[in-house]
Amino acid sequence: MPRSAVRRLATPVGVMAAVVAAFGYVGAVDPNQPGHYPVCPMLRLTGLYCPGCGGLRSAHAVAHGDIAAALGSNALAVVGYAVFAVLWLVWMVRASRGRPVRIALAPVWMWGLGVVLLIFTVVRNLPFGSMLAP
């Protein structure tokens, strides 16, 4: 492999190595056991689940191949893992071809993401949305 190709692929490969290491750690150190990770500040102060609550349990379940449990802990995080995987794959392909990756989201997409996070947060804290609570 030419040196320029190695250099182009170094960053996406490094990012994936960090993600694999993080998932490996969370897979080895069970967040379902108390005392291993800090409690969510929002949950501790308000008693409400934030959009990230259950994310570590979700990552632990994904690391063990239990997608159903991952969805039960934090469905939005699982969607985020899938989106990351697709974007990383696009990044790798484009980097291997020597083409830059440019992700330019219009403000409407950023607002849309904010609305999805807000709706997810509100619904998972209501009685009818308890299936979204971790």
Side-chain angles (χ1 to χ4, degrees), residues 4-127:
S4 63
V6 170
R7 191 167 191 200
R8 287 193 311 262
L9 296 175
T11 302
V13 168
V15 167
M16 184 52 75
V19 169
V20 168
F23 268 80
Y25 180 81
V26 173
V29 181
D30 190 354
N32 295 301
Q33 302 298 320
H36 293 294
Y37 299 97
V39 176
C40 172
M42 183 170 166
L43 181 62
R44 179 169 286 206
L45 294 173
T46 66
L48 298 173
Y49 298 118
C50 77
C53 281
L56 284 174
R57 289 186 293 276
S58 176
H60 179 78
V62 167
H64 288 272
D66 190 353
I67 302 302
L71 287 167
S73 293
N74 190 324
L76 200 58
V78 175
V79 171
Y81 306 149
V83 168
F84 171 80
V86 169
L87 290 175
W88 182 84
L89 189 59
V90 169
W91 186 15
M92 272 299 284
V93 169
R94 291 186 66 89
S96 69
R97 294 179 179 168
R99 296 169 57 195
V101 176
R102 289 188 180 96
I103 299 174
L105 295 176
V108 70
W109 288 101
M110 299 305 283
W111 281 100
L113 178 61
V115 168
V116 167
L117 288 171
L118 180 64
I119 290 171
F120 180 73
T121 303
V122 170
V123 169
R124 75 189 318 209
N125 284 289
L126 294 173

